[in-house]
């Protein structure tokens, strides 16, 4: 669980680099979700949550695009 938590935060830092608003929002959401489920004892539910967190990490890494404004009419 801790390994996945750290991986999500590392991915967040890479995906949202230089976007402080997105970095903070993602940090809060990751921390909130893990905190809300920290007392879960059902092995089935824990495995389901871990699978979902792993899927989110893959989606962040492969599907999120950060645009950079380079000129008045260009991104």
């Amino acid at each position: 669980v801790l390994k996945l938590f750290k991986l999500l935060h590392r991915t967040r830092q890479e995906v949202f680099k230089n976007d402080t608003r997105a970095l903070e929002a993602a940090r809060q959401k990751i921390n909130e979700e893990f905190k809300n489920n920290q007392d879960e004892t059902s092995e089935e539910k824990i495995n389901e949550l871990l699978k979902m967190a792993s899927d989110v990490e893959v989606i962040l890494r492969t599907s999120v695009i950060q645009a950079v404004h380079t000129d008045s009419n260009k991104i």
Side-chain angles (χ1 to χ4, degrees):
V1 173
L2 184 58
K3 183 178 178 181
L4 186 55
F5 180 78
K6 288 179 178 181
L7 179 61
L8 278 166
H9 277 289
R10 274 188 244 113
T11 300
R12 167 190 69 91
Q13 289 174 329
E14 291 174 24
V15 170
F16 300 118
K17 187 180 355 180
N18 299 325
D19 185 346
T20 54
R21 188 179 315 150
L23 279 167
E24 181 60 23
R27 184 188 70 76
Q28 287 178 356
K29 185 64 175 172
I30 292 167
N31 291 347
E32 176 186 315
E33 290 298 324
F34 274 82
K35 188 173 184 171
N36 288 344
N37 294 296
Q38 73 182 359
D39 295 327
E40 185 61 56
T41 58
S42 166
E43 187 174 338
E44 183 178 314
K45 179 70 174 172
I46 291 170
N47 288 333
E48 181 182 314
L49 290 166
L50 289 173
K51 172 72 170 117
M52 184 173 28
S54 180
D55 291 347
V56 166
E57 192 276 331
V58 169
I59 290 169
L60 279 173
R61 192 169 14 89
T62 61
S63 300
V64 174
I65 298 172
Q66 287 289 96
V68 177
H69 196 310
T70 59
D71 195 8
S72 61
N73 295 321
K74 297 180 183 177
I75 293 183

